[in-house]
Amino acid sequence: MKKYAVGVVGATGMVGQRFVTLLENHPWFQLTVVAASSRSAGKTYQEAVGARWAMTTPMPQEAKNLVVLDAVADKEKIAAAVDFIFCAVDMKKEEIRALEEAYAKLECPVVSNNSAHRWTDDVPMVIPEVNPEHIKVIDAQRKRLRTQRGFIAVKSNCSIQSYAPALHPLRPFGIEKVLVCTYQAISGAGKTFETWPEMVDNLIPYIGGEEEKSEKEPLKVWGTVENGKIVPAEHPSITAQCLRVPVSDGHTAAVFVTFQNKPTEEEIKAAWKNFQGRAQELNLPSAPKQFLQYFEEPDRPQAKLDRDLEGGMAVTLGRLRPDTQYDYKFVGLSHNTLRGAAGGGVLLAELLCAEGYILPR
């Protein structure tokens, strides 16, 4: 098949770097353009990133000599050169909203890692295994933008990947309320221990805006498309507390849940084991074969041991047991820069291509 020509806008940051690594040898996508701020424009990608390369794997050879374009000033040139872009820029939210909409109006589909458009009601916020049907709202978005090809689709916040997918196949039991505490890796802040030595032997009980996202974003993911808009679900009620912990990669969640129709532990484990989403049905290149993986061992999942399962695209679960205040409690783990960020973006792009929303020019 002819590969899609792809651009990464915001390519020099940590998530942008992860996109670049994931596009190396991708069977559908060819990295064609890298773009960043005006400070990096005109340099080769290798020169622009320099010592800030944060990945554990070497910089892909195909990316090293690409000349970095200006994400803002060169958007017409970028849009003309690619079939779609991944967007992972570090800008103010209103600037990101304007930039992503500008690309869409240039007939360039945008698959965004940013939060700026997550609450735009005709922009789908998609976990491909959970709410793939939300991409249908793109038809209404294109009417609003007056575009033929262009649109914006976003992935959800990285932290909800560690618990919302696990709750999703349990929704038939009537989830009433959820309490979740997330323990989030420093890469979620775009940091490593070398660049953030203050995090060594430390824990910070605050991540700006994260608790609101953790409580509200699952409701949009579980919402319905009505009259060209996504209407968030009204239930369950979710309360969250989010902490930054000294872990390089991997967000862990301690989850407490109460049901209207309380299932047995065996029913919950079976629901997790048997769950397959649209990504698995389509056999998308980045889709994990077993999306939800449960460990019986009492000390799993562990970030260091389990975050890279299925290329970092699986969600691992453990410690399911009864609770004294809620019906059950369990622990979830997801790789925040793979499943939670760039990997989730690549999987979303694969879904959009497979379903015909992104076509080669």
Side-chain angles (χ1 to χ4, degrees), residues 17-245:
Q17 292 178 27
R18 183 67 79 180
F19 273 122
V20 169
T21 64
L22 292 175
L23 291 172
E24 185 179 24
N25 301 319
H26 191 283
W28 294 6
F29 304 149
Q30 178 63 50
L31 179 65
T32 305
V33 169
V34 288
S37 69
S38 58
R39 297 187 304 276
S40 298
K43 300 176 183 177
T44 66
Y45 185 65
Q46 188 171 27
E47 291 168 343
V49 175
R52 294 183 295 116
W53 184 252
M55 301 294 105
T56 56
T57 54
M59 182 181 290
Q61 201 65 38
E62 66 180 14
K64 288 182 177 179
N65 294 318
L66 289 175
V67 176
V68 179
L69 299 180
D70 187 318
V72 177
D74 294 329
K75 56 183 178 290
E76 289 86 358
K77 182 178 180 180
I78 295 165
V82 300
D83 293 312
F84 69 93
I85 62 166
F86 292 112
C87 189
V89 294
D90 182 12
M91 301 164 65
K92 294 178 181 177
K93 281 193 178 182
E94 59 269 23
E95 295 172 343
I96 295 172
R97 279 193 288 268
L99 182 66
E100 291 181 344
E101 195 160 299
Y103 274 100
K105 288 181 176 178
L106 288 167
E107 299 293 358
C108 179
V110 177
V111 179
S112 179
N113 184 73
N114 301 107
S115 64
H117 271 293
R118 286 186 194 153
W119 288 97
T120 305
D121 57 18
D122 61 4
V123 170
M125 180 173 70
V126 178
I127 301 171
E129 288 88 349
V130 174
N131 62 326
E133 70 281 1
H134 282 197
I135 63 175
K136 293 184 293 186
V137 81
I138 289 170
D139 298 328
Q141 184 193 145
R142 281 174 167 161
K143 288 180 182 178
R144 174 175 64 84
L145 297 176
R146 298 180 181 177
T147 59
Q148 297 297 314
R149 292 185 79 255
F151 65 86
I152 303 160
V154 302
K155 50 154 294 298
S156 63
N157 191 39
C158 53
S159 67
I160 78 167
Q161 310 283 338
S162 57
Y163 59 92
L167 293 171
H168 182 67
L170 307 181
R171 294 183 72 217
F173 298 109
I175 299 173
E176 286 191 326
K177 59 179 181 175
V178 175
L179 182 153
V180 60
C181 297
T182 61
Y183 305 88
Q184 301 185 204
I186 62 173
S187 56
K191 304 286 189 178
T192 64
F193 287 117
E194 288 73 25
T195 60
W196 202 4
E198 298 86 355
M199 273 308 301
V200 176
D201 191 29
N202 196 15
L203 180 152
I204 299 175
Y206 173 73
I207 307 171
E210 201 75 2
E211 287 159 3
E212 181 183 21
K213 294 174 189 174
S214 298
E215 292 170 354
K216 292 185 176 181
E217 286 192 17
L219 298 178
K220 181 172 180 179
V221 168
W222 290 325
T224 54
V225 178
E226 299 176 20
N227 300 315
K229 296 180 180 181
I230 297 167
V231 180
E234 295 183 359
H235 304 288
S237 65
I238 303 174
T239 184
Q241 185 148 275
C242 302
L243 297 82
R244 188 73 70 192
V245 295

Side-chain angles (χ1 to χ4, degrees), residues 281-298:
E281 291 173 12
L282 293 169
N283 197 28
L284 298 177
S286 299
K289 301 301 181 197
Q290 183 66 43
F291 180 35
L292 304 175
Q293 301 196 16
Y294 185 81
F295 288 96
E296 294 289 351
E297 296 90 332

